Amino acid sequence: MRRKRVLPPTVLVLCTAALAGTAPAVASPLTATADAPARTTATPAAPLRILLTNDDGYNAPGIRKAFERLTAAGYDVTIVAPLTNQSGTGTKMMSAPTIAVKHPEPKVWAVDGTPGDSVLFGLSEVFEGRAPDLVVSGTNFGPNVAGLATHSGTVGGAVAALESGVPAIALSTGGMAVPDPAATVNAMGPTMDFAVKLIDRLRTRAKSGPLLPKGVGLNVNHPVVGADGKGTAAGVAATFQDPQAPLQPDFTDSGDGTWKVDVQFRPQPAAKGGDVEAVGANKIAVSPMNADWNTGPADFAVTAALIAGVRP
């Protein structure tokens, strides 16, 4: 059964409003650097406290770029991320009786577990007694759209935060084509420029309240634009998770009780208004998501009708 994220219309309206005017132009940190110009907005009274995680590993290019840009933007950022690459682990967490944790740098914790394990450790121990204002997961190398998002460790880290009542954003860089490593790494810069602008917008709208409605997170997918990945996205779109599953398995019997597994990438036509369509058009896809398996009132009514009169 495919997981569907059907959110109330009010939430969709809120997310659309938050994106209005959020152009994919370069965000402006408080301190000018060679990569990012100086910001013109006023310095907040208290820095936004961010737990930064991912599924590529605590030392991967995406999370290090995110740490650099978010810190330059004036946020108080702490990395609590997997020790090793945990891509594709989804929402897996708390599956081992013990867990190893390293603290290689003052603002960095490396957890020998999944993104979900990392977030739970961060909330319980690193941020003990005072939850962060936001969990940012990413930026991930490659897209987390359609069925890829359902099984994504990057999205799984954000879901772990939402389950704990902390606002969360999942960030990914890439399109449906086979990624070019150099171009994708370059595109992580524009991804984080947009992320800073989005977080600033959410904080401005929230004033002193939570950055997002309770239980709602954002899954952000930034395209790789241009041959070198340094191009500017064509726009920003509020989207939904495309229902397709582009990864299809092929099993071959080896004849000895084992089966060879080959995964084929077979994308389907993009659903109108979905994240695949937006990223394919070089737009930034921003999809609201929740942390449960609920669908919506219409599906609840259908289920109630199906079981009407059935007895144990």
Side-chain angles (χ1 to χ4, degrees):
M1 177 178 179
R2 176 166 301 284
R3 181 177 182 180
K4 298 163 67 179
R5 297 188 177 100
V6 179
L7 300 172
T10 52
V11 172
L12 297 175
V13 169
L14 184 150
C15 291
T16 303
L19 293 176
T22 308
V26 174
S28 41
L30 292 174
T31 304
T33 67
D35 290 329
R39 252 167 62 178
T40 57
T41 54
T43 304
L48 198 71
R49 298 165 65 249
I50 295 177
L51 186 162
L52 180 62
T53 194
N54 73 343
D55 72 355
D56 292 332
Y58 80 100
N59 213 20
I63 198 169
R64 289 297 174 159
K65 177 61 69 176
F67 182 83
E68 171 193 324
R69 292 294 176 89
L70 294 173
T71 299
Y75 306 136
D76 180 6
V77 186
T78 302
I79 291 177
V80 189
L83 178 66
T84 59
N85 191 313
Q86 296 289 313
S87 296
T89 53
T91 56
K92 181 181 178 181
M93 63 181 77
M94 296 185 291
S95 59
T98 61
I99 194 166
V101 179
K102 297 184 178 181
H103 190 24
E105 302 167 43
K107 301 287 286 185
V108 178
W109 298 78
V111 178
D112 192 12
T114 67
D117 290 329
S118 301
V119 170
L120 292 184
F121 178 82
L123 297 180
S124 175
E125 302 300 323
V126 181
F127 287 85
E128 182 181 7
R130 187 185 172 205
D133 301 299
L134 178 68
V135 168
V136 174
S137 187
T139 182
N140 178 72
F141 185 94
N144 279 315
V145 296
L148 301 176
T150 304
H151 308 288
S152 161
T154 298
V155 174
V159 167
L162 295 175
E163 288 181 337
S164 299
V166 180
I169 297 175
L171 296 173
S172 299
T173 304
M176 292 288 273
V178 177
D180 174 81
T184 302
V185 170
N186 286 341
M188 290 174 175
T191 300
M192 292 314 305
D193 291 337
F194 173 75
V196 170
K197 293 196 72 172
L198 176 61
I199 295 169
D200 278 351
R201 171 63 61 86
L202 293 175
R203 193 175 195 194
T204 298
R205 290 182 59 84
K207 297 183 171 31
S208 58
L211 298 181
L212 289 163
K214 185 177 180 180
V216 176
L218 298 177
N219 182 22
V220 178
N221 280 274
H222 193 290
V224 176
V225 182
D228 61 359
K230 297 180 179 181
T232 300
V236 186
T239 58
F240 59 85
Q241 182 181 338
D242 191 302
Q244 68 173 286
L247 297 181
Q248 300 294 325
D250 181 37
F251 298 93
T252 303
D253 188 353
S254 300
D256 59 358
T258 64
W259 292 71
K260 180 181 178 182
V261 183
D262 186 27
V263 180
Q264 303 289 331
F265 184 66
R266 298 172 181 164
Q268 304 299 312
K272 187 172 180 57
D275 48 15
V276 174
E277 179 189 58
V279 174
N282 279 340
K283 293 183 179 180
I284 304 168
V286 182
S287 301
M289 62 180 182
N290 54 26
D292 57 47
W293 291 78
N294 291 315
T295 52
D299 292 316
F300 180 86
V302 169
T303 303
L306 286 173
I307 64 173
V310 179
R311 295 292 179 265

